[in-house]
Amino acid sequence: MISNLLTLLLIIGVSFFPVIIWAYIFTYIDESHLSRKRLLSWVFAGAVSVAPVLFMQDILGFIGIESINVFSLFSSEVSAYSWFPGFLSLILFFSGFLFCSFLTQLFLSKKVRFSENYKWSTIVFLWGIIGVLALYFCMNYIPFLTNDIWNQLRVDGVILASLSLIIGYYLVIALLEEWAKHFQFLSGATEKVSLRKWVLYSIFIALGFSFVENILYTYFLFISNWFSSELLKLYFFRGVFSIILHILCTSILAYSSLRAFEFSLPKKTQIFIIWVIASIGLHALFDIALTLGFSLVLILYFIWGYLYVSSIFYSKKPSK
Protein backbone atom coordinates (compact mmCIF):
# COMPACT_ATOMS: atom_id res chain seq x y z
CA MET A 1 0.00 0.00 0.00
CA ILE A 2 2.70 2.47 1.05
CA SER A 3 4.96 1.47 -1.84
CA ASN A 4 2.13 1.96 -4.35
CA LEU A 5 1.39 5.38 -2.87
CA LEU A 6 5.04 6.38 -3.09
CA THR A 7 5.16 5.13 -6.67
CA LEU A 8 2.08 7.17 -7.55
CA LEU A 9 3.52 10.31 -5.95
CA LEU A 10 6.78 9.83 -7.87
CA ILE A 11 4.90 9.37 -11.15
CA ILE A 12 2.81 12.50 -10.42
CA GLY A 13 5.99 14.49 -9.90
CA VAL A 14 7.68 13.14 -13.02
CA SER A 15 4.52 13.64 -15.11
CA PHE A 16 4.31 17.29 -14.08
CA PHE A 17 7.74 18.05 -15.55
CA PRO A 18 6.57 18.11 -19.22
CA VAL A 19 3.62 20.29 -18.15
CA ILE A 20 6.01 22.93 -16.78
CA ILE A 21 8.23 22.76 -19.88
CA TRP A 22 5.33 23.25 -22.32
CA ALA A 23 3.81 25.99 -20.15
CA TYR A 24 7.07 27.95 -20.20
CA ILE A 25 7.48 27.44 -23.96
CA PHE A 26 4.11 28.95 -24.88
CA THR A 27 4.30 31.64 -22.19
CA TYR A 28 7.64 32.68 -23.68
CA ILE A 29 6.09 32.81 -27.17
CA ASP A 30 3.29 34.96 -25.74
CA GLU A 31 5.99 37.25 -24.31
CA SER A 32 4.31 37.20 -20.91
CA HIS A 33 5.12 36.20 -17.35
CA LEU A 34 4.10 32.72 -16.22
CA SER A 35 1.81 33.14 -13.23
CA ARG A 36 2.06 30.09 -11.01
CA LYS A 37 -1.40 30.71 -9.57
CA ARG A 38 -2.96 31.06 -13.03
CA LEU A 39 -1.10 28.01 -14.35
CA LEU A 40 -2.11 25.79 -11.41
CA SER A 41 -5.73 27.00 -11.54
CA TRP A 42 -6.11 26.16 -15.22
CA VAL A 43 -4.14 22.92 -14.99
CA PHE A 44 -6.49 21.96 -12.15
CA ALA A 45 -9.47 22.82 -14.39
CA GLY A 46 -8.05 20.64 -17.16
CA ALA A 47 -7.42 17.81 -14.72
CA VAL A 48 -11.03 17.97 -13.51
CA SER A 49 -12.25 17.60 -17.10
CA VAL A 50 -10.91 14.04 -17.17
CA ALA A 51 -13.28 12.92 -14.39
CA PRO A 52 -16.45 12.34 -16.48
CA VAL A 53 -14.45 10.50 -19.14
CA LEU A 54 -12.86 8.22 -16.54
CA PHE A 55 -15.73 7.58 -14.16
CA MET A 56 -18.96 7.94 -16.13
CA GLN A 57 -19.24 4.20 -16.82
CA ASP A 58 -18.52 3.44 -13.15
CA ILE A 59 -21.27 5.86 -12.17
CA LEU A 60 -23.68 4.22 -14.61
CA GLY A 61 -22.84 0.83 -13.12
CA PHE A 62 -23.27 2.12 -9.58
CA ILE A 63 -26.79 3.38 -10.27
CA GLY A 64 -27.68 0.22 -12.21
CA ILE A 65 -27.92 1.55 -15.77
CA GLU A 66 -24.61 0.26 -17.17
CA SER A 67 -26.50 -0.89 -20.29
CA ILE A 68 -26.62 2.79 -21.31
CA ASN A 69 -23.06 2.68 -22.55
CA VAL A 70 -21.85 4.45 -25.66
CA PHE A 71 -19.15 1.82 -26.15
CA SER A 72 -21.80 -0.89 -26.45
CA LEU A 73 -22.18 0.45 -30.00
CA PHE A 74 -18.89 -1.24 -30.83
CA SER A 75 -19.66 -4.62 -29.25
CA SER A 76 -23.13 -5.31 -30.65
CA GLU A 77 -24.69 -5.64 -34.06
CA VAL A 78 -25.68 -2.30 -35.53
CA SER A 79 -29.43 -1.89 -35.84
CA ALA A 80 -32.08 0.81 -35.92
CA TYR A 81 -32.37 0.53 -32.14
CA SER A 82 -28.75 0.21 -31.04
CA TRP A 83 -28.10 3.96 -31.36
CA PHE A 84 -30.42 4.86 -28.47
CA PRO A 85 -28.26 3.62 -25.52
CA GLY A 86 -25.25 5.32 -27.10
CA PHE A 87 -27.16 8.57 -27.51
CA LEU A 88 -28.35 8.52 -23.89
CA SER A 89 -24.84 7.74 -22.71
CA LEU A 90 -23.40 10.73 -24.59
CA ILE A 91 -26.12 12.97 -23.14
CA LEU A 92 -25.07 11.80 -19.66
CA PHE A 93 -21.45 12.53 -20.52
CA PHE A 94 -22.52 16.01 -21.59
CA SER A 95 -24.31 16.51 -18.26
CA GLY A 96 -21.16 15.42 -16.43
CA PHE A 97 -18.98 17.86 -18.39
CA LEU A 98 -21.42 20.71 -17.76
CA PHE A 99 -21.54 19.90 -14.04
CA CYS A 100 -17.73 19.86 -13.77
CA SER A 101 -17.57 23.14 -15.70
CA PHE A 102 -19.97 24.83 -13.29
CA LEU A 103 -17.96 23.51 -10.33
CA THR A 104 -14.83 25.01 -11.90
CA GLN A 105 -16.64 28.34 -12.32
CA LEU A 106 -17.38 28.31 -8.60
CA PHE A 107 -13.73 27.52 -7.89
CA LEU A 108 -12.33 30.23 -10.19
CA SER A 109 -14.85 33.06 -9.84
CA LYS A 110 -17.18 32.08 -6.96
CA LYS A 111 -20.26 32.23 -9.22
CA VAL A 112 -21.94 30.35 -12.07
CA ARG A 113 -22.92 31.83 -15.44
CA PHE A 114 -24.48 30.17 -18.47
CA SER A 115 -22.99 32.58 -20.98
CA GLU A 116 -23.64 32.95 -24.71
CA ASN A 117 -20.52 30.88 -25.36
CA TYR A 118 -22.00 28.06 -23.28
CA LYS A 119 -25.27 28.27 -25.19
CA TRP A 120 -23.81 27.95 -28.66
CA SER A 121 -21.17 25.42 -27.62
CA THR A 122 -23.95 23.27 -26.15
CA ILE A 123 -26.00 23.45 -29.35
CA VAL A 124 -23.04 22.62 -31.60
CA PHE A 125 -21.86 19.71 -29.47
CA LEU A 126 -25.35 18.25 -29.18
CA TRP A 127 -25.48 18.23 -32.97
CA GLY A 128 -22.00 16.70 -32.80
CA ILE A 129 -23.47 13.70 -30.97
CA ILE A 130 -25.97 13.18 -33.77
CA GLY A 131 -23.30 13.68 -36.41
CA VAL A 132 -20.85 11.16 -34.94
CA LEU A 133 -23.56 8.53 -34.43
CA ALA A 134 -24.94 9.09 -37.95
CA LEU A 135 -21.47 8.81 -39.47
CA TYR A 136 -20.79 5.58 -37.59
CA PHE A 137 -24.05 3.99 -38.74
CA CYS A 138 -23.45 5.08 -42.35
CA MET A 139 -19.98 3.50 -42.29
CA ASN A 140 -21.54 0.16 -41.40
CA TYR A 141 -23.15 0.05 -44.85
CA ILE A 142 -19.82 0.40 -46.67
CA PRO A 143 -18.36 -3.10 -47.27
CA PHE A 144 -14.74 -1.92 -47.40
CA LEU A 145 -15.02 -0.44 -43.90
CA THR A 146 -16.88 -3.37 -42.35
CA ASN A 147 -14.51 -6.12 -43.55
CA ASP A 148 -12.45 -7.70 -40.77
CA ILE A 149 -8.91 -6.36 -40.51
CA TRP A 150 -5.99 -8.76 -40.23
CA ASN A 151 -5.00 -7.67 -36.74
CA GLN A 152 -7.98 -7.26 -34.43
CA LEU A 153 -7.48 -4.84 -31.55
CA ARG A 154 -8.83 -4.86 -28.01
CA VAL A 155 -9.16 -1.44 -26.39
CA ASP A 156 -10.79 -1.03 -22.96
CA GLY A 157 -12.65 -4.32 -23.38
CA VAL A 158 -13.90 -3.41 -26.87
CA ILE A 159 -12.78 -5.53 -29.84
CA LEU A 160 -12.08 -3.35 -32.88
CA ALA A 161 -12.23 -5.83 -35.74
CA SER A 162 -12.92 -3.51 -38.69
CA LEU A 163 -12.10 -0.03 -39.94
CA SER A 164 -15.63 1.18 -39.18
CA LEU A 165 -15.24 0.10 -35.55
CA ILE A 166 -11.81 1.76 -35.26
CA ILE A 167 -12.99 5.02 -36.83
CA GLY A 168 -16.24 5.08 -34.84
CA TYR A 169 -14.51 4.31 -31.54
CA TYR A 170 -11.89 7.03 -31.89
CA LEU A 171 -14.44 9.58 -33.13
CA VAL A 172 -16.38 9.05 -29.90
CA ILE A 173 -13.19 9.31 -27.83
CA ALA A 174 -12.21 12.52 -29.64
CA LEU A 175 -15.70 13.98 -29.17
CA LEU A 176 -15.66 13.25 -25.44
CA GLU A 177 -12.17 14.56 -24.78
CA GLU A 178 -12.50 17.77 -26.81
CA TRP A 179 -15.93 18.33 -25.32
CA ALA A 180 -14.58 17.95 -21.77
CA LYS A 181 -11.67 20.34 -22.31
CA HIS A 182 -13.76 22.95 -24.12
CA PHE A 183 -16.40 23.23 -21.39
CA GLN A 184 -13.67 23.58 -18.78
CA PHE A 185 -12.19 26.35 -20.91
CA LEU A 186 -15.59 28.10 -21.02
CA SER A 187 -15.77 27.95 -17.22
CA GLY A 188 -13.28 30.80 -17.04
CA ALA A 189 -13.63 32.53 -20.42
CA THR A 190 -15.58 35.48 -19.08
CA GLU A 191 -12.85 38.00 -18.26
CA LYS A 192 -11.89 40.89 -20.54
CA VAL A 193 -8.47 39.68 -21.63
CA SER A 194 -6.82 39.34 -25.03
CA LEU A 195 -7.68 36.53 -27.40
CA ARG A 196 -4.07 35.35 -27.35
CA LYS A 197 -4.19 35.17 -23.56
CA TRP A 198 -7.29 32.96 -23.70
CA VAL A 199 -5.52 30.65 -26.13
CA LEU A 200 -2.68 30.43 -23.61
CA TYR A 201 -5.17 29.53 -20.87
CA SER A 202 -6.72 26.87 -23.13
CA ILE A 203 -3.23 25.40 -23.48
CA PHE A 204 -3.06 25.16 -19.69
CA ILE A 205 -6.38 23.28 -19.81
CA ALA A 206 -4.88 20.84 -22.33
CA LEU A 207 -1.82 20.43 -20.11
CA GLY A 208 -4.02 19.59 -17.12
CA PHE A 209 -5.97 17.01 -19.11
CA SER A 210 -2.75 15.46 -20.43
CA PHE A 211 -1.23 15.52 -16.95
CA VAL A 212 -3.90 13.20 -15.52
CA GLU A 213 -3.87 10.97 -18.60
CA ASN A 214 -0.10 10.60 -18.44
CA ILE A 215 -0.19 9.74 -14.74
CA LEU A 216 -2.71 6.95 -15.33
CA TYR A 217 -0.96 5.47 -18.38
CA THR A 218 2.44 5.57 -16.69
CA TYR A 219 1.20 4.21 -13.37
CA PHE A 220 -0.62 1.20 -14.81
CA LEU A 221 2.25 0.33 -17.15
CA PHE A 222 4.69 0.57 -14.24
CA ILE A 223 2.50 -1.68 -12.05
CA SER A 224 2.29 -4.32 -14.80
CA ASN A 225 5.85 -4.17 -16.23
CA TRP A 226 7.83 -2.23 -13.63
CA PHE A 227 10.70 -0.09 -14.90
CA SER A 228 11.44 -0.92 -18.53
CA SER A 229 12.28 0.57 -21.91
CA GLU A 230 8.55 0.51 -22.72
CA LEU A 231 7.92 2.78 -19.74
CA LEU A 232 10.51 5.28 -20.98
CA LYS A 233 9.02 5.18 -24.49
CA LEU A 234 5.55 5.79 -23.10
CA TYR A 235 6.77 8.69 -20.97
CA PHE A 236 8.51 10.34 -23.94
CA PHE A 237 5.60 9.72 -26.32
CA ARG A 238 2.96 11.11 -23.98
CA GLY A 239 5.16 13.96 -22.73
CA VAL A 240 5.80 15.20 -26.28
CA PHE A 241 3.37 13.96 -28.93
CA SER A 242 0.25 13.33 -26.85
CA ILE A 243 0.54 16.73 -25.18
CA ILE A 244 1.02 18.58 -28.47
CA LEU A 245 -2.08 16.82 -29.83
CA HIS A 246 -4.19 18.05 -26.90
CA ILE A 247 -2.69 21.54 -27.15
CA LEU A 248 -3.45 21.71 -30.89
CA CYS A 249 -7.06 20.53 -30.68
CA THR A 250 -7.89 22.58 -27.58
CA SER A 251 -6.35 25.73 -29.05
CA ILE A 252 -8.32 25.32 -32.28
CA LEU A 253 -11.60 25.19 -30.36
CA ALA A 254 -10.73 28.04 -27.99
CA TYR A 255 -9.52 30.34 -30.77
CA SER A 256 -12.36 29.57 -33.17
CA SER A 257 -15.11 29.82 -30.56
CA LEU A 258 -13.99 33.23 -29.32
CA ARG A 259 -13.39 34.59 -32.83
CA ALA A 260 -16.74 33.23 -34.02
CA PHE A 261 -18.64 35.42 -31.58
CA GLU A 262 -17.39 38.53 -33.37
CA PHE A 263 -19.75 37.73 -36.26
CA SER A 264 -23.51 37.63 -36.77
CA LEU A 265 -25.54 34.54 -35.83
CA PRO A 266 -25.34 32.47 -39.08
CA LYS A 267 -21.67 33.27 -39.63
CA LYS A 268 -20.49 32.53 -36.11
CA THR A 269 -22.37 29.22 -36.00
CA GLN A 270 -20.83 28.20 -39.33
CA ILE A 271 -17.30 29.11 -38.20
CA PHE A 272 -17.63 27.28 -34.89
CA ILE A 273 -19.10 24.13 -36.47
CA ILE A 274 -16.28 23.97 -39.03
CA TRP A 275 -13.59 24.19 -36.38
CA VAL A 276 -15.33 21.78 -34.01
CA ILE A 277 -15.27 19.25 -36.86
CA ALA A 278 -11.60 20.08 -37.51
CA SER A 279 -10.64 19.63 -33.85
CA ILE A 280 -12.48 16.33 -33.41
CA GLY A 281 -11.30 15.09 -36.81
CA LEU A 282 -7.64 15.89 -36.14
CA HIS A 283 -7.83 14.18 -32.74
CA ALA A 284 -9.49 11.06 -34.14
CA LEU A 285 -7.16 10.93 -37.16
CA PHE A 286 -4.12 10.96 -34.86
CA ASP A 287 -5.41 7.98 -32.84
CA ILE A 288 -6.59 6.07 -35.92
CA ALA A 289 -3.28 6.54 -37.73
CA LEU A 290 -1.27 5.29 -34.74
CA THR A 291 -3.62 2.33 -34.29
CA LEU A 292 -3.08 1.35 -37.93
CA GLY A 293 0.69 1.71 -37.62
CA PHE A 294 1.29 5.04 -39.40
CA SER A 295 3.84 6.40 -36.93
CA LEU A 296 4.95 9.21 -39.27
CA VAL A 297 1.87 11.07 -38.05
CA LEU A 298 3.72 11.81 -34.79
CA ILE A 299 6.28 14.01 -36.54
CA LEU A 300 3.70 15.69 -38.79
CA TYR A 301 1.43 16.58 -35.88
CA PHE A 302 4.33 17.78 -33.74
CA ILE A 303 5.68 20.15 -36.42
CA TRP A 304 2.35 21.42 -37.73
CA GLY A 305 0.74 21.60 -34.28
CA TYR A 306 3.56 23.67 -32.83
CA LEU A 307 3.69 25.99 -35.84
CA TYR A 308 -0.09 26.49 -35.90
CA VAL A 309 -0.49 27.22 -32.20
CA SER A 310 2.55 29.51 -32.04
CA SER A 311 1.25 31.41 -35.10
CA ILE A 312 -1.82 32.42 -33.07
CA PHE A 313 0.40 34.37 -30.71
CA TYR A 314 1.92 36.28 -33.63
CA SER A 315 -1.46 37.14 -35.18
CA LYS A 316 -2.13 40.83 -35.66
CA LYS A 317 -5.48 40.78 -33.87
CA PRO A 318 -4.75 39.86 -30.26
CA SER A 319 -8.09 40.87 -28.71
CA LYS A 320 -11.72 39.94 -29.05
Side-chain angles (χ1 to χ4, degrees):
M1 179 68 178
I2 295 178
S3 62
N4 286 343
L5 179 59
L6 292 175
T7 298
L8 180 59
L9 291 175
L10 177 62
I11 289 173
I12 290 174
V14 172
S15 298
F16 197 65
F17 180 71
V19 170
I20 295 295
I21 296 298
W22 282 110
Y24 269 107
I25 288 173
F26 284 104
T27 303
Y28 176 79
I29 294 174
D30 186 49
E31 299 178 348
S32 61
H33 173 71
L34 180 61
S35 167
R36 294 180 183 177
K37 181 179 179 180
R38 180 70 73 172
L39 171 63
L40 292 177
S41 296
W42 285 89
V43 166
F44 170 78
V48 169
S49 67
V50 186
V53 180
L54 286 179
F55 301 115
M56 182 58 71
Q57 300 309 321
D58 293 328
I59 295 172
L60 294 179
F62 178 76
I63 61 180
I65 54 173
E66 61 272 10
S67 58
I68 303 177
N69 184 347
V70 64
F71 298 109
S72 65
L73 285 171
F74 313 111
S75 58
S76 61
E77 184 178 349
V78 173
S79 69
Y81 303 100
S82 60
W83 65 271
F84 189 64
F87 178 79
L88 286 181
S89 179
L90 289 173
I91 292 295
L92 289 172
F93 271 109
F94 164 74
S95 302
F97 297 143
L98 201 58
F99 177 74
C100 287
S101 184
F102 288 155
L103 284 182
T104 304
Q105 277 199 55
L106 285 173
F107 174 77
L108 294 176
S109 59
K110 311 303 180 186
K111 56 186 174 182
V112 175
R113 294 179 180 175
F114 192 75
S115 64
E116 191 75 6
N117 295 43
Y118 267 100
K119 175 182 175 181
W120 289 108
S121 296
T122 297
I123 292 172
V124 170
F125 273 103
L126 287 177
W127 277 106
I129 292 176
I130 297 173
V132 167
L133 291 177
L135 179 60
Y136 173 66
F137 281 102
C138 288
M139 287 191 298
N140 281 275
Y141 293 96
I142 302 175
F144 168 72
L145 296 177
T146 55
N147 291 335
D148 289 348
I149 57 177
W150 66 274
N151 185 21
Q152 295 184 356
L153 303 170
R154 179 181 291 272
V155 182
D156 296 330
V158 178
I159 298 176
L160 306 178
S162 66
L163 286 176
S164 64
L165 288 172
I166 291 174
I167 296 171
Y169 177 83
Y170 284 116
L171 277 174
V172 168
I173 292 296
L175 175 68
L176 293 178
E177 293 191 357
E178 297 311 318
W179 205 352
K181 290 181 292 179
H182 183 66
F183 274 95
Q184 285 300 91
F185 168 72
L186 292 182
S187 67
T190 55
E191 301 176 17
K192 298 292 184 179
V193 298
S194 69
L195 182 58
R196 293 192 310 190
K197 195 66 68 179
W198 275 127
V199 172
L200 181 63
Y201 297 159
S202 75
I203 290 173
F204 294 165
I205 291 281
L207 291 176
F209 191 96
S210 300
F211 175 53
V212 175
E213 270 198 336
N214 294 351
I215 290 171
L216 295 175
Y217 277 99
T218 305
Y219 178 75
F220 287 119
L221 183 62
F222 180 83
I223 292 300
S224 59
N225 293 345
W226 295 96
F227 189 81
S228 63
S229 60
E230 289 299 317
L231 187 67
L232 292 176
K233 290 178 183 177
L234 178 73
Y235 178 77
F236 176 77
F237 166 80
R238 299 207 61 84
V240 177
F241 300 110
S242 178
I243 285 182
I244 199 65
L245 170 70
H246 283 297
I247 287 174
L248 170 63
C249 296
T250 306
S251 299
I252 286 175
L253 272 187
Y255 185 71
S256 63
S257 65
L258 294 177
R259 285 296 304 269
F261 285 98
E262 299 175 354
F263 300 96
S264 60
L265 178 58
K267 183 69 173 178
K268 71 181 180 182
T269 304
Q270 178 185 8
I271 291 173
F272 190 38
I273 288 174
I274 290 172
W275 287 104
V276 165
I277 293 173
S279 177
I280 293 172
L282 284 169
H283 192 142
L285 180 63
F286 180 90
D287 291 332
I288 293 167
L290 287 184
T291 299
L292 297 178
F294 298 104
S295 55
L296 180 62
V297 73
L298 296 174
I299 304 299
L300 297 178
Y301 268 71
F302 179 82
I303 295 174
W304 184 77
Y306 178 79
L307 292 177
Y308 172 81
V309 177
S310 60
S311 70
I312 295 175
F313 294 102
Y314 296 112
S315 61
K316 294 184 179 293
K317 191 172 186 181
S319 58
K320 282 176 63 175

